[in-house]
Amino acid sequence: MAKKIMTKKAAPIKSAAKARPKAAVKAKPVKAKPKAAPLKPPVAPRGFSKSELSHFKDLIVEKRKEILEELETLKASMMDVQTGEYVTENSTYSLHMEQGTDTMEREKTFLFASREGKFLNYLDDALKRIEKGEYGFCIDCGSLIDKERLEAVPHAQLCIKCKLKRGR
């Protein structure tokens, strides 16, 4: 039995060439693939000229001025000039008309003021886009919005095609 154990432990020694670690094996050079022609950067869509942007800016500033005047008128109708507080009821009409009518008129005035304020924010955003150089491009598809559309709706952010897709 002792003989068997000895023969198992005394395994033949491998030659030095075969015992080399794999890292020491010389690697074959890898051929570099031919470089493809560099891709051209995508062409950015051409925007409006400086004179056209100036024209749109003038349109927006004029509409903004109109909105501010309208908001002042609405504010004046909602507030008492002497006290600076919101008018709760008009004594001239409250004797002859239902109080519900007065309330409805006040709510309509607040609604109009809210709507005008929202429109004012749209105009301010359009002015910021002009300053950043982003004005006139559709925020969905990136194409240039038609000049006619911007003439009618100078704060537009979508081209007609994308506007119709959204359904608003």
Side-chain angles (χ1 to χ4, degrees):
M1 249 189 183
K3 228 180 188 179
K4 283 185 182 178
I5 294 175
M6 293 230 4
T7 54
K8 283 187 179 178
K9 285 188 177 180
I13 298 175
K14 295 181 181 178
S15 69
K18 290 183 180 177
R20 269 192 319 200
K22 288 185 179 181
V25 175
K26 196 172 187 181
K28 293 181 183 178
V30 178
K31 291 182 182 178
K33 292 182 181 179
K35 291 184 179 179
L39 297 175
K40 293 180 183 178
V43 178
R46 186 179 163 268
F48 293 106
S49 68
K50 287 185 179 184
S51 64
E52 290 171 320
L53 288 175
S54 176
H55 169 70
F56 288 125
K57 186 174 183 176
D58 292 343
L59 276 175
I60 293 168
V61 168
E62 186 61 36
K63 284 194 181 273
R64 192 176 185 284
K65 194 182 299 183
E66 291 172 16
I67 296 300
L68 289 172
E69 289 172 5
E70 183 65 29
L71 280 172
E72 279 300 315
T73 304
L74 290 171
K75 183 179 177 182
S77 72
M78 291 188 296
M79 298 185 91
D80 184 2
V81 180
Q82 294 173 347
T83 63
E85 295 179 4
Y86 287 106
V87 178
T88 55
E89 116 181 356
N90 190 338
S91 60
T92 310
Y93 292 105
S94 63
L95 297 174
H96 305 292
M97 302 176 85
E98 295 178 20
Q99 285 183 339
T101 304
D102 292 340
T103 303
M104 186 178 76
E105 288 300 316
R106 277 194 305 278
E107 286 178 6
K108 273 185 8 184
T109 304
F110 280 116
L111 177 67
F112 289 141
S114 173
R115 186 175 180 202
E116 297 294 329
K118 189 175 181 181
F119 186 53
L120 186 64
N121 286 335
Y122 288 147
L123 294 174
D124 288 340
D125 287 343
L127 288 173
K128 288 176 188 173
R129 287 194 314 273
I130 288 175
E131 295 302 318
K132 289 181 180 178
E134 300 171 355
Y135 181 79
F137 295 100
C138 178
I139 60 172
D140 279 359
C141 69
S143 65
L144 194 61
I145 300 172
D146 292 332
K147 189 174 180 179
E148 294 79 20
R149 173 159 170 71
L150 291 173
E151 291 280 342
V153 186
H155 62 279
Q157 295 181 353
L158 299 169
C159 66
I160 293 289
K161 188 177 177 182
C162 292
K163 181 74 172 176
L164 292 173
K165 280 182 189 176
R166 285 192 180 190
R168 286 193 280 166

